[in-house]
Amino acid sequence: MAMLANITASQANALKGVVRNSSYVIPGLYDLSTEDTNWVLTSSFIIFTMQTGFGMLESGCVSIKNEVNIMMKNVIDIVLGGFTYWLFGYGMAFGRGPLTNPFIAIGDFLLDPPVEDPLMGQIFAAFLFQLSFATTATTIVSGAMAERCNFKAYCLFSLLNTVVYCIPAGWVWGEHGFLNNLGAVDIAGSGPVHLIGGASAFASAAMLGPRLGRYADGYDPLPLGNPVNACMGLFVLWWGWLAFNSGSTYGVSGAKWQYAARAAVMTMMGSFGGGIISVSYSLWRHNGLLDIIDLINGVLGSLVSITAGCFLYRAWEAFLIGMIGAMLCCLAMPLFDRLGVDDPVGASAVHGVCGIWGVIALGFFADNPVPLDTTKNRKGLFKGGGWYLVGIQTLSAFCLTCWGICVTFLLLFIINKIIPIRMDPNEELLGADLMEHRIRHSQIGISRAISALAPLKVDLKDIAGIQPVGLNPGHERSLDELRAADDKLELWRTFLKESDPKKKHSRASAETVRANMVRRSTIGKILTKKREGENGTNGVYKSNNTEMDNVRNGRDNPSFAWID
């Protein structure tokens, strides 16, 4: 460290292999110029917005009674998953300690380089970039577990799921990784991010089992909760994917900027091919009608497919790879349903199946991106490079798939012993938003669920008084008070008219006055949608209910009736 004290900034920027301490040398992961660091940081910020895209897409694909729950899971993925990635995940993927081996890295836990470290900025930039990849891999799984996973169990899963991602990421990207040393190539994560996420999603959906009533009426997808949100999520993910792939050049110095531009264009070319195929497939399958999920997942599948070799392809090759990826995705979604694997957002097909294709496709189509050493001077089979790259890419896809499925099964098995991973059937019928987050939506069938569950003596007292989202009960009470005051004023005016001997018009009898007051009071209650509770006290809020009578849940529980 003393040797670095008097060097200039430009010299420090040019240094490679700077000795950080007596045990190891700084890896190429931190070989970043000022421009490279700026590029990596900016890309990290944009990639982070993909969490918004995943949240919108997933919440749009599930029923309304679970949309808040799926958004909360995306938040948890960042908070808990990000924390454990800093705690131990990054060190298990890229750590540089004496115990590091080809399977797992050990070192750099609780990453926090001091200000005296000349590579502090590069280390933080590299960590943030890898963190954005890690949270993306984790959040892929949340959609596959939607609508029937216990939220507390999912929090524990998110906390530990870092292990599922970080170890295979080290195999492919770490200098210690056995796949990396064999020559495996994956520029932006078709394997370590998407294939791992898709394999984990498949294992999660299979272990949880299908949602209640999912296949009662056949294998067609259930109605979307919010198709507009799902489509908006696609656009946000599309935007983030450009940074995902272009940022994976890991800088813009030297020739990197040229390949960053190429990565962006090839990413778009792949999505064009995927979109065309998914539209054609949907029109054919649905007799001239376009299904929004086919289109969304077809485009996403093509983006996953192009990610591994995003700047190693020609334009027509990227277009073709995207087309094949979209077709595989569209065919895999109904296949998984027929296998009984209920994946509400199609993550297993989009990220799993297309991730396998993206990893293997690189072995066929990859260029040698001179002067970069991305492929270690190897080319794909169709470029005259022989079968070696195809073989190592296939091995990489196999290892990542087996790891993702097996470790996720094991992790969920352990968590299930601590906290049941499947929601109680009664809670699943009522929805996670109501039961986990105390949020009640309108028009989602809650009344019928409560009516059916009440005879079973289900304890509903905690949710009886929950108001619908957006309702202000104080507004209703204020209107009722104003109407009551208006009734009293009208009664007083009527009384004055009746008691004035100078009035020449006929008097109304006292019985007529009382009848008018009863009528006005009744109308007021109808307009304000209030009802009287037991013993003449004001009861809980009741919407305009014409479907069912009040539901009683035991003698002491409040009665209520909801119409959705």
Side-chain angles (χ1 to χ4, degrees), residues 293-319:
I293 282 297
D294 285 339
L295 177 57
I296 290 174
N297 284 348
V299 172
L300 292 177
S302 65
L303 289 168
V304 171
S305 303
I306 206 69
T307 296
C310 51
F311 62 71
L312 302 178
Y313 305 134
R314 302 291 300 274
W316 71 269
E317 294 167 345
F319 188 83

PDB file of all heavy atoms in Angstrom, residues 293-319:
ATOM      1  N   ILE A 293     -50.581 -12.448 -22.858  1.00  0.00           N
ATOM      2  CA  ILE A 293     -49.521 -13.180 -22.167  1.00  0.00           C
ATOM      3  C   ILE A 293     -48.580 -13.839 -23.167  1.00  0.00           C
ATOM      4  O   ILE A 293     -47.359 -13.885 -22.955  1.00  0.00           O
ATOM      5  CB  ILE A 293     -50.126 -14.216 -21.198  1.00  0.00           C
ATOM      6  CG1 ILE A 293     -50.600 -13.512 -19.936  1.00  0.00           C
ATOM      7  CG2 ILE A 293     -49.097 -15.269 -20.810  1.00  0.00           C
ATOM      8  CD1 ILE A 293     -49.498 -12.852 -19.137  1.00  0.00           C
ATOM      9  N   ASP A 294     -49.116 -14.373 -24.249  1.00  0.00           N
ATOM     10  CA  ASP A 294     -48.251 -14.938 -25.287  1.00  0.00           C
ATOM     11  C   ASP A 294     -47.291 -13.881 -25.826  1.00  0.00           C
ATOM     12  O   ASP A 294     -46.098 -14.147 -26.021  1.00  0.00           O
ATOM     13  CB  ASP A 294     -49.100 -15.486 -26.438  1.00  0.00           C
ATOM     14  CG  ASP A 294     -49.788 -16.800 -26.083  1.00  0.00           C
ATOM     15  OD1 ASP A 294     -49.314 -17.468 -25.140  1.00  0.00           O
ATOM     16  OD2 ASP A 294     -50.781 -17.154 -26.741  1.00  0.00           O
ATOM     17  N   LEU A 295     -47.801 -12.687 -26.061  1.00  0.00           N
ATOM     18  CA  LEU A 295     -46.958 -11.627 -26.599  1.00  0.00           C
ATOM     19  C   LEU A 295     -45.911 -11.181 -25.581  1.00  0.00           C
ATOM     20  O   LEU A 295     -44.715 -11.069 -25.897  1.00  0.00           O
ATOM     21  CB  LEU A 295     -47.816 -10.439 -27.016  1.00  0.00           C
ATOM     22  CG  LEU A 295     -47.065  -9.206 -27.544  1.00  0.00           C
ATOM     23  CD1 LEU A 295     -46.188  -9.576 -28.736  1.00  0.00           C
ATOM     24  CD2 LEU A 295     -48.039  -8.101 -27.918  1.00  0.00           C
ATOM     25  N   ILE A 296     -46.338 -10.930 -24.339  1.00  0.00           N
ATOM     26  CA  ILE A 296     -45.409 -10.457 -23.318  1.00  0.00           C
ATOM     27  C   ILE A 296     -44.306 -11.478 -23.070  1.00  0.00           C
ATOM     28  O   ILE A 296     -43.105 -11.161 -23.111  1.00  0.00           O
ATOM     29  CB  ILE A 296     -46.166 -10.158 -22.013  1.00  0.00           C
ATOM     30  CG1 ILE A 296     -47.043  -8.921 -22.176  1.00  0.00           C
ATOM     31  CG2 ILE A 296     -45.191  -9.956 -20.852  1.00  0.00           C
ATOM     32  CD1 ILE A 296     -47.933  -8.635 -20.971  1.00  0.00           C
ATOM     33  N   ASN A 297     -44.689 -12.721 -22.832  1.00  0.00           N
ATOM     34  CA  ASN A 297     -43.688 -13.730 -22.510  1.00  0.00           C
ATOM     35  C   ASN A 297     -42.854 -14.123 -23.720  1.00  0.00           C
ATOM     36  O   ASN A 297     -41.691 -14.531 -23.570  1.00  0.00           O
ATOM     37  CB  ASN A 297     -44.362 -14.965 -21.905  1.00  0.00           C
ATOM     38  CG  ASN A 297     -44.769 -14.731 -20.460  1.00  0.00           C
ATOM     39  OD1 ASN A 297     -44.364 -13.753 -19.844  1.00  0.00           O
ATOM     40  ND2 ASN A 297     -45.575 -15.627 -19.915  1.00  0.00           N
ATOM     41  N   GLY A 298     -43.411 -14.006 -24.912  1.00  0.00           N
ATOM     42  CA  GLY A 298     -42.610 -14.258 -26.107  1.00  0.00           C
ATOM     43  C   GLY A 298     -41.483 -13.248 -26.254  1.00  0.00           C
ATOM     44  O   GLY A 298     -40.336 -13.608 -26.557  1.00  0.00           O
ATOM     45  N   VAL A 299     -41.799 -11.982 -26.036  1.00  0.00           N
ATOM     46  CA  VAL A 299     -40.764 -10.942 -26.100  1.00  0.00           C
ATOM     47  C   VAL A 299     -39.737 -11.144 -24.994  1.00  0.00           C
ATOM     48  O   VAL A 299     -38.520 -11.062 -25.224  1.00  0.00           O
ATOM     49  CB  VAL A 299     -41.401  -9.541 -26.011  1.00  0.00           C
ATOM     50  CG1 VAL A 299     -40.325  -8.469 -25.878  1.00  0.00           C
ATOM     51  CG2 VAL A 299     -42.259  -9.263 -27.243  1.00  0.00           C
ATOM     52  N   LEU A 300     -40.206 -11.413 -23.774  1.00  0.00           N
ATOM     53  CA  LEU A 300     -39.270 -11.628 -22.664  1.00  0.00           C
ATOM     54  C   LEU A 300     -38.400 -12.856 -22.907  1.00  0.00           C
ATOM     55  O   LEU A 300     -37.201 -12.857 -22.596  1.00  0.00           O
ATOM     56  CB  LEU A 300     -40.041 -11.782 -21.354  1.00  0.00           C
ATOM     57  CG  LEU A 300     -40.751 -10.532 -20.832  1.00  0.00           C
ATOM     58  CD1 LEU A 300     -41.536 -10.855 -19.570  1.00  0.00           C
ATOM     59  CD2 LEU A 300     -39.761  -9.406 -20.562  1.00  0.00           C
ATOM     60  N   GLY A 301     -38.992 -13.912 -23.459  1.00  0.00           N
ATOM     61  CA  GLY A 301     -38.207 -15.106 -23.757  1.00  0.00           C
ATOM     62  C   GLY A 301     -37.114 -14.841 -24.762  1.00  0.00           C
ATOM     63  O   GLY A 301     -35.997 -15.368 -24.647  1.00  0.00           O
ATOM     64  N   SER A 302     -37.387 -14.011 -25.747  1.00  0.00           N
ATOM     65  CA  SER A 302     -36.350 -13.660 -26.731  1.00  0.00           C
ATOM     66  C   SER A 302     -35.244 -12.826 -26.101  1.00  0.00           C
ATOM     67  O   SER A 302     -34.066 -12.976 -26.438  1.00  0.00           O
ATOM     68  CB  SER A 302     -36.988 -12.905 -27.899  1.00  0.00           C
ATOM     69  OG  SER A 302     -37.512 -11.651 -27.482  1.00  0.00           O
ATOM     70  N   LEU A 303     -35.611 -11.950 -25.162  1.00  0.00           N
ATOM     71  CA  LEU A 303     -34.600 -11.150 -24.479  1.00  0.00           C
ATOM     72  C   LEU A 303     -33.699 -12.026 -23.607  1.00  0.00           C
ATOM     73  O   LEU A 303     -32.482 -11.812 -23.544  1.00  0.00           O
ATOM     74  CB  LEU A 303     -35.286 -10.083 -23.621  1.00  0.00           C
ATOM     75  CG  LEU A 303     -35.960  -8.944 -24.383  1.00  0.00           C
ATOM     76  CD1 LEU A 303     -36.845  -8.114 -23.457  1.00  0.00           C
ATOM     77  CD2 LEU A 303     -34.922  -8.050 -25.052  1.00  0.00           C
ATOM     78  N   VAL A 304     -34.297 -13.007 -22.933  1.00  0.00           N
ATOM     79  CA  VAL A 304     -33.489 -13.946 -22.154  1.00  0.00           C
ATOM     80  C   VAL A 304     -32.526 -14.706 -23.075  1.00  0.00           C
ATOM     81  O   VAL A 304     -31.349 -14.908 -22.740  1.00  0.00           O
ATOM     82  CB  VAL A 304     -34.400 -14.927 -21.397  1.00  0.00           C
ATOM     83  CG1 VAL A 304     -33.586 -16.041 -20.753  1.00  0.00           C
ATOM     84  CG2 VAL A 304     -35.198 -14.192 -20.330  1.00  0.00           C
ATOM     85  N   SER A 305     -33.019 -15.112 -24.238  1.00  0.00           N
ATOM     86  CA  SER A 305     -32.214 -15.918 -25.158  1.00  0.00           C
ATOM     87  C   SER A 305     -31.009 -15.162 -25.702  1.00  0.00           C
ATOM     88  O   SER A 305     -29.953 -15.762 -25.942  1.00  0.00           O
ATOM     89  CB  SER A 305     -33.091 -16.399 -26.322  1.00  0.00           C
ATOM     90  OG  SER A 305     -34.202 -17.131 -25.858  1.00  0.00           O
ATOM     91  N   ILE A 306     -31.136 -13.868 -25.885  1.00  0.00           N
ATOM     92  CA  ILE A 306     -30.071 -13.081 -26.501  1.00  0.00           C
ATOM     93  C   ILE A 306     -29.040 -12.619 -25.487  1.00  0.00           C
ATOM     94  O   ILE A 306     -27.956 -12.133 -25.846  1.00  0.00           O
ATOM     95  CB  ILE A 306     -30.682 -11.865 -27.239  1.00  0.00           C
ATOM     96  CG1 ILE A 306     -29.773 -11.397 -28.380  1.00  0.00           C
ATOM     97  CG2 ILE A 306     -30.957 -10.723 -26.287  1.00  0.00           C
ATOM     98  CD1 ILE A 306     -29.728 -12.385 -29.516  1.00  0.00           C
ATOM     99  N   THR A 307     -29.336 -12.772 -24.195  1.00  0.00           N
ATOM    100  CA  THR A 307     -28.534 -12.150 -23.146  1.00  0.00           C
ATOM    101  C   THR A 307     -27.132 -12.737 -23.029  1.00  0.00           C
ATOM    102  O   THR A 307     -26.170 -12.006 -22.794  1.00  0.00           O
ATOM    103  CB  THR A 307     -29.280 -12.263 -21.798  1.00  0.00           C
ATOM    104  OG1 THR A 307     -30.487 -11.501 -21.886  1.00  0.00           O
ATOM    105  CG2 THR A 307     -28.454 -11.744 -20.654  1.00  0.00           C
ATOM    106  N   ALA A 308     -26.994 -14.049 -23.175  1.00  0.00           N
ATOM    107  CA  ALA A 308     -25.685 -14.685 -22.966  1.00  0.00           C
ATOM    108  C   ALA A 308     -24.634 -14.181 -23.950  1.00  0.00           C
ATOM    109  O   ALA A 308     -23.471 -13.968 -23.583  1.00  0.00           O
ATOM    110  CB  ALA A 308     -25.810 -16.200 -23.064  1.00  0.00           C
ATOM    111  N   GLY A 309     -25.012 -13.997 -25.196  1.00  0.00           N
ATOM    112  CA  GLY A 309     -24.029 -13.591 -26.208  1.00  0.00           C
ATOM    113  C   GLY A 309     -24.403 -12.294 -26.887  1.00  0.00           C
ATOM    114  O   GLY A 309     -24.206 -12.145 -28.096  1.00  0.00           O
ATOM    115  N   CYS A 310     -24.901 -11.339 -26.116  1.00  0.00           N
ATOM    116  CA  CYS A 310     -25.551 -10.150 -26.687  1.00  0.00           C
ATOM    117  C   CYS A 310     -24.669  -9.359 -27.648  1.00  0.00           C
ATOM    118  O   CYS A 310     -25.202  -8.738 -28.570  1.00  0.00           O
ATOM    119  CB  CYS A 310     -26.069  -9.250 -25.572  1.00  0.00           C
ATOM    120  SG  CYS A 310     -24.842  -8.851 -24.316  1.00  0.00           S
ATOM    121  N   PHE A 311     -23.340  -9.334 -27.489  1.00  0.00           N
ATOM    122  CA  PHE A 311     -22.525  -8.596 -28.465  1.00  0.00           C
ATOM    123  C   PHE A 311     -21.632  -9.533 -29.282  1.00  0.00           C
ATOM    124  O   PHE A 311     -20.637  -9.111 -29.881  1.00  0.00           O
ATOM    125  CB  PHE A 311     -21.695  -7.480 -27.803  1.00  0.00           C
ATOM    126  CG  PHE A 311     -20.688  -7.929 -26.776  1.00  0.00           C
ATOM    127  CD1 PHE A 311     -19.534  -8.606 -27.136  1.00  0.00           C
ATOM    128  CD2 PHE A 311     -20.871  -7.616 -25.444  1.00  0.00           C
ATOM    129  CE1 PHE A 311     -18.596  -8.982 -26.199  1.00  0.00           C
ATOM    130  CE2 PHE A 311     -19.941  -7.985 -24.489  1.00  0.00           C
ATOM    131  CZ  PHE A 311     -18.798  -8.677 -24.866  1.00  0.00           C
ATOM    132  N   LEU A 312     -22.012 -10.818 -29.345  1.00  0.00           N
ATOM    133  CA  LEU A 312     -21.225 -11.791 -30.113  1.00  0.00           C
ATOM    134  C   LEU A 312     -21.917 -12.220 -31.402  1.00  0.00           C
ATOM    135  O   LEU A 312     -21.403 -13.074 -32.124  1.00  0.00           O
ATOM    136  CB  LEU A 312     -20.961 -13.037 -29.260  1.00  0.00           C
ATOM    137  CG  LEU A 312     -20.228 -12.815 -27.940  1.00  0.00           C
ATOM    138  CD1 LEU A 312     -20.074 -14.131 -27.194  1.00  0.00           C
ATOM    139  CD2 LEU A 312     -18.862 -12.180 -28.179  1.00  0.00           C
ATOM    140  N   TYR A 313     -23.082 -11.626 -31.715  1.00  0.00           N
ATOM    141  CA  TYR A 313     -23.880 -12.081 -32.847  1.00  0.00           C
ATOM    142  C   TYR A 313     -23.993 -11.001 -33.920  1.00  0.00           C
ATOM    143  O   TYR A 313     -23.894  -9.802 -33.641  1.00  0.00           O
ATOM    144  CB  TYR A 313     -25.306 -12.452 -32.384  1.00  0.00           C
ATOM    145  CG  TYR A 313     -25.362 -13.458 -31.267  1.00  0.00           C
ATOM    146  CD1 TYR A 313     -26.214 -13.252 -30.169  1.00  0.00           C
ATOM    147  CD2 TYR A 313     -24.608 -14.615 -31.292  1.00  0.00           C
ATOM    148  CE1 TYR A 313     -26.298 -14.177 -29.139  1.00  0.00           C
ATOM    149  CE2 TYR A 313     -24.674 -15.543 -30.262  1.00  0.00           C
ATOM    150  CZ  TYR A 313     -25.515 -15.313 -29.186  1.00  0.00           C
ATOM    151  OH  TYR A 313     -25.578 -16.217 -28.170  1.00  0.00           O
ATOM    152  N   ARG A 314     -24.247 -11.469 -35.141  1.00  0.00           N
ATOM    153  CA  ARG A 314     -24.675 -10.577 -36.214  1.00  0.00           C
ATOM    154  C   ARG A 314     -26.174 -10.325 -36.062  1.00  0.00           C
ATOM    155  O   ARG A 314     -26.868 -11.018 -35.332  1.00  0.00           O
ATOM    156  CB  ARG A 314     -24.383 -11.210 -37.581  1.00  0.00           C
ATOM    157  CG  ARG A 314     -22.922 -11.558 -37.825  1.00  0.00           C
ATOM    158  CD  ARG A 314     -22.080 -10.302 -37.956  1.00  0.00           C
ATOM    159  NE  ARG A 314     -22.523  -9.472 -39.053  1.00  0.00           N
ATOM    160  CZ  ARG A 314     -22.113  -9.618 -40.323  1.00  0.00           C
ATOM    161  NH1 ARG A 314     -21.278 -10.590 -40.651  1.00  0.00           N
ATOM    162  NH2 ARG A 314     -22.537  -8.788 -41.252  1.00  0.00           N
ATOM    163  N   ALA A 315     -26.681  -9.321 -36.810  1.00  0.00           N
ATOM    164  CA  ALA A 315     -28.077  -8.915 -36.642  1.00  0.00           C
ATOM    165  C   ALA A 315     -29.043 -10.053 -36.968  1.00  0.00           C
ATOM    166  O   ALA A 315     -29.994 -10.314 -36.216  1.00  0.00           O
ATOM    167  CB  ALA A 315     -28.379  -7.698 -37.502  1.00  0.00           C
ATOM    168  N   TRP A 316     -28.818 -10.744 -38.084  1.00  0.00           N
ATOM    169  CA  TRP A 316     -29.751 -11.805 -38.459  1.00  0.00           C
ATOM    170  C   TRP A 316     -29.685 -12.971 -37.479  1.00  0.00           C
ATOM    171  O   TRP A 316     -30.691 -13.647 -37.239  1.00  0.00           O
ATOM    172  CB  TRP A 316     -29.476 -12.291 -39.880  1.00  0.00           C
ATOM    173  CG  TRP A 316     -28.200 -13.083 -40.050  1.00  0.00           C
ATOM    174  CD1 TRP A 316     -26.969 -12.608 -40.368  1.00  0.00           C
ATOM    175  CD2 TRP A 316     -28.067 -14.510 -39.890  1.00  0.00           C
ATOM    176  NE1 TRP A 316     -26.051 -13.634 -40.420  1.00  0.00           N
ATOM    177  CE2 TRP A 316     -26.707 -14.812 -40.131  1.00  0.00           C
ATOM    178  CE3 TRP A 316     -28.935 -15.541 -39.567  1.00  0.00           C
ATOM    179  CZ2 TRP A 316     -26.203 -16.108 -40.069  1.00  0.00           C
ATOM    180  CZ3 TRP A 316     -28.444 -16.836 -39.493  1.00  0.00           C
ATOM    181  CH2 TRP A 316     -27.096 -17.116 -39.749  1.00  0.00           C
ATOM    182  N   GLU A 317     -28.503 -13.202 -36.900  1.00  0.00           N
ATOM    183  CA  GLU A 317     -28.370 -14.261 -35.913  1.00  0.00           C
ATOM    184  C   GLU A 317     -29.145 -13.925 -34.634  1.00  0.00           C
ATOM    185  O   GLU A 317     -29.819 -14.785 -34.053  1.00  0.00           O
ATOM    186  CB  GLU A 317     -26.890 -14.480 -35.588  1.00  0.00           C
ATOM    187  CG  GLU A 317     -26.088 -15.019 -36.763  1.00  0.00           C
ATOM    188  CD  GLU A 317     -24.589 -14.938 -36.530  1.00  0.00           C
ATOM    189  OE1 GLU A 317     -24.162 -14.221 -35.602  1.00  0.00           O
ATOM    190  OE2 GLU A 317     -23.839 -15.594 -37.286  1.00  0.00           O
ATOM    191  N   ALA A 318     -29.031 -12.681 -34.210  1.00  0.00           N
ATOM    192  CA  ALA A 318     -29.785 -12.256 -33.029  1.00  0.00           C
ATOM    193  C   ALA A 318     -31.287 -12.380 -33.281  1.00  0.00           C
ATOM    194  O   ALA A 318     -32.049 -12.813 -32.393  1.00  0.00           O
ATOM    195  CB  ALA A 318     -29.422 -10.819 -32.670  1.00  0.00           C
ATOM    196  N   PHE A 319     -31.717 -12.004 -34.467  1.00  0.00           N
ATOM    197  CA  PHE A 319     -33.131 -12.109 -34.831  1.00  0.00           C
ATOM    198  C   PHE A 319     -33.595 -13.558 -34.773  1.00  0.00           C
ATOM    199  O   PHE A 319     -34.661 -13.878 -34.222  1.00  0.00           O
ATOM    200  CB  PHE A 319     -33.326 -11.524 -36.231  1.00  0.00           C
ATOM    201  CG  PHE A 319     -34.762 -11.389 -36.656  1.00  0.00           C
ATOM    202  CD1 PHE A 319     -35.519 -10.295 -36.265  1.00  0.00           C
ATOM    203  CD2 PHE A 319     -35.358 -12.356 -37.454  1.00  0.00           C
ATOM    204  CE1 PHE A 319     -36.849 -10.170 -36.660  1.00  0.00           C
ATOM    205  CE2 PHE A 319     -36.678 -12.236 -37.856  1.00  0.00           C
ATOM    206  CZ  PHE A 319     -37.418 -11.136 -37.455  1.00  0.00           C
TER     207      PHE A 319
END
